[in-house]
Amino acid sequence: MTHVEDELSSQPECWIRAAEEAPAHKAALPAEGERVAIVGCGTSYFMAQAAAVLREQSGQGEADAFAASEFPAGRSYDRVVALTRSGTTTEVLELLGRLRGRVRTTAVTADPDTPVMTSADDVVVLGFADERSVVQTRFATTAFTLLRAHLGLHEDSVVADARTALEAPLSEELVGCSQFTFLGRGWTVGLANEAGLKMREASLAWTEAYPAMEYRHGPISITTDGTATWMLGEAPEGLAGQVRETGGLWVDGGLDPLAELVRVQRLAVAVAALRGLDPDRPRHLTRSVILGH
């Protein structure tokens, strides 16, 4: 078993623990009514997108998401939350340094022995969700679960759905597809972006991701026999039928969207195996991006 497989299989237990620990981190996480920005890089940026939209949709305050390298210097926030598994990512550390003394910052990380511990005002360490793999799975979803539970939106059914996602077989037709498109709506757009990234990282697959209705405005033209379109969350009315008319495979995400992401992680590993790739050694990637000066 690869590190990726081992780590993605542990997600239900990680989510349970994150939800249980969320109340203990209340002071470090955004308070209701605060204007918040959530930042990250790569996977963490896409999970930040999902968390920001979920928070704002829940009515708990304005929330934006940015890649750490693209944070708008002129904007005013009550708190900036940085998601960083390694605690060493150059762009995150530089941003926290620029914000010091100007705005309250919180880092959510997996490693307590890294520079981020002294770069942020508050730190939440999810050491139990740390990973050996380059390709992120459980840390990203556990950090999201922490924020979701903090919003009062985590339910036991999410964990049950994750277990279903780990146990249900993936069809040979799906694994054998040549192209994969992931769709989301609202907070699940970020998850769709992450799903596409996971497939590219682990299996070098041709993948795309869109807000569900934007897919209809052009991208659907690539859909045909041998391609898959996977909806994370509830699909717009009529879209499934339009995809099936192209000859493409429609995958209706019936589980909680976060659990659907677990299914995508499994698909990435399966496609990698089919193509003779090692998902623990993704091409051109490292566990943390640390830029020279």
Side-chain angles (χ1 to χ4, degrees), residues 7-8 11 85 110 127 129-140 287:
E7 290 159 0
L8 73 85
Q11 287 175 108
R85 176 181 66 171
D130 201 359
E131 298 163 325
R132 296 179 64 184
S133 60
V134 173
V135 175
Q136 282 200 56
T137 56
R138 73 182 179 193
F139 174 75
R287 189 175 183 276

Side-chain angles (χ1 to χ4, degrees), residues 118-215:
T118 56
S119 297
D121 296 310
D122 299 300
V123 182
V124 177
V125 179
L126 303 176
F128 59 90
D130 201 359
E131 298 163 325
R132 296 179 64 184
S133 60
V134 173
V135 175
Q136 282 200 56
T137 56
R138 73 182 179 193
F139 174 75
T141 61
T142 300
F144 179 83
T145 298
L146 173 79
L147 296 173
R148 194 180 193 183
H150 176 67
L151 295 172
L153 300 175
H154 174 79
E155 298 179 354
D156 292 341
S157 60
V158 178
V159 175
D161 278 359
R163 292 195 169 114
T164 298
L166 290 168
E167 295 167 359
L170 298 170
S171 71
E172 291 184 8
E173 181 183 13
L174 177 60
V175 176
C177 283
S178 61
Q179 188 275 344
F180 304 87
T181 299
F182 299 97
L183 307 179
R185 301 177 81 182
W187 67 275
T188 71
V189 172
L191 299 189
N193 288 333
E194 166 59 9
L197 178 63
K198 212 55 29 200
M199 293 292 296
R200 290 190 290 274
E201 289 178 327
S203 63
L204 305 182
W206 171 20
T207 65
E208 299 180 346
Y210 303 97
M213 287 306 298
E214 284 302 302
Y215 167 72

Side-chain angles (χ1 to χ4, degrees), residues 247-279:
L249 175 65
W250 171 260
V251 183
D252 191 5
L255 302 174
D256 180 89
L258 195 63
E260 285 293 320
L261 182 58
V262 175
R263 291 183 65 203
V264 176
Q265 294 168 351
R266 290 183 57 217
L267 175 64
V269 172
V271 173
L274 183 66
R275 298 180 177 185
L277 301 171
D278 182 353

Side-chain angles (χ1 to χ4, degrees), residues 35-53 56 62-84 89 91-93 95-96 98-99 103 106 190 193:
R35 190 164 189 257
V36 174
I38 310 177
V39 302
C41 302
T43 287
S44 292
Y45 169 44
F46 294 141
M47 303 310 286
Q49 289 178 335
V53 176
E56 191 157 315
E62 292 184 14
D64 296 318
F66 301 100
S69 60
E70 300 300 318
F71 185 84
R75 291 206 188 174
S76 175
Y77 291 97
D78 299 310
R79 183 181 296 269
V80 173
V81 178
L83 306 182
T84 171
T89 304
E91 304 99 293
V92 171
L93 295 178
L95 174 60
L96 292 174
R98 293 199 304 272
L99 295 177
V103 59
T106 296
N193 288 333

